[in-house]
Amino acid sequence: MFHPQSEWLEILKPNFKLLPLKERLLCGLGALLGLSLSSLISLWILGDINAWYIAPMGASSVLLFAVPASPLAQPWNMIIGNVIAAMVGVSCGLWITDLTFAFSIAVGLSIFLMMTTDSLHPPSGAVAITAVLGGDAVHQLGYYFVLYPVLLNSVLLIAFALFFNRMIGRQYPQPAQINQRSSDPT
């Protein structure tokens, strides 16, 4: 029997092979342990600061533990991308009163700056939005938001990703790739 809906849905699925159960479990375990440990250490260091951990770290953990070979998951990308996005987001939150305009400018400018510094990290877009929409706890921190929780969380999660990925036999970080762009038009 022909099901046009199922064919349409199949077109949307990525053409990836399903990883073995062990690999999937290791990816999930890495994220669970990395987020737990870095969160507990952040809480211990920062104490009563309400914004001791931010949601974009969950998205970063997907890259660090599920696709650590991705150029977007490398330490430079995560740390520099998150710092840039936090700085831009805090600035936009302080200087632009319309929230929609503020977080839109923050994300757009963050993307431009990350691409300019070769530090593109998709979860950093959420860091920029968090800096603008994060509420009183984030706004009270001002530019300290860049140092903690953003830089602190990023460094702790990267440190665990380095340990965990090497412990299970993955090379992380990946060796630098030299951009070889052709002169042909895109």
Side-chain angles (χ1 to χ4, degrees):
M1 181 171 199
F2 179 70
H3 294 287
Q5 290 92 0
S6 64
E7 285 183 23
W8 181 78
L9 288 175
E10 288 298 315
I11 292 170
L12 299 177
K13 286 178 64 176
N15 192 17
F16 294 123
K17 301 250 186 274
L18 188 63
L19 290 174
L21 177 62
K22 179 183 175 186
E23 279 296 309
R24 289 179 279 151
L25 287 171
L26 286 172
C27 293
L29 180 64
L32 183 150
L33 294 173
L35 289 167
S36 296
L37 289 173
S38 60
S39 172
L40 290 172
I41 293 169
S42 291
L43 183 59
W44 177 68
I45 291 171
L46 300 177
D48 63 348
I49 291 178
N50 288 336
W52 53 270
Y53 215 76
I54 57 172
M57 293 301 143
S60 292
S61 71
V62 171
L63 291 170
L64 296 175
F65 299 103
V67 286
S70 168
L72 305 174
Q74 301 312 300
W76 171 266
N77 296 66
M78 182 172 172
I79 293 171
I80 301 304
N82 282 347
V83 166
I84 287 170
M87 289 175 60
V88 170
V90 169
S91 298
C92 288
L94 290 172
W95 296 102
I96 302 171
T97 56
D98 180 86
L99 292 179
T100 300
F101 194 56
F103 76 71
S104 299
I105 292 287
V107 173
L109 185 55
S110 294
I111 291 170
F112 170 78
L113 293 172
M114 285 186 287
M115 291 181 83
T116 301
T117 58
D118 201 18
S119 62
L120 190 63
H121 185 67
S124 298
V127 170
I129 290 175
T130 301
V132 174
L133 300 179
D136 289 339
V138 170
H139 296 153
Q140 288 174 1
L141 289 172
Y143 286 101
Y144 285 113
F145 176 76
V146 177
L147 298 175
Y148 54 84
V150 174
L151 182 59
L152 177 63
N153 290 178
S154 298
V155 168
L156 291 172
L157 198 55
I158 284 286
F160 185 76
L162 287 165
F163 165 76
F164 184 83
N165 281 311
R166 289 190 178 181
M167 185 181 76
I168 65 170
R170 293 180 182 157
Q171 182 171 350
Y172 183 80
Q174 294 293 303
Q177 307 271 327
I178 297 184
N179 287 335
Q180 295 183 353
R181 296 187 174 118
S182 73
S183 59
D184 297 335
T186 302

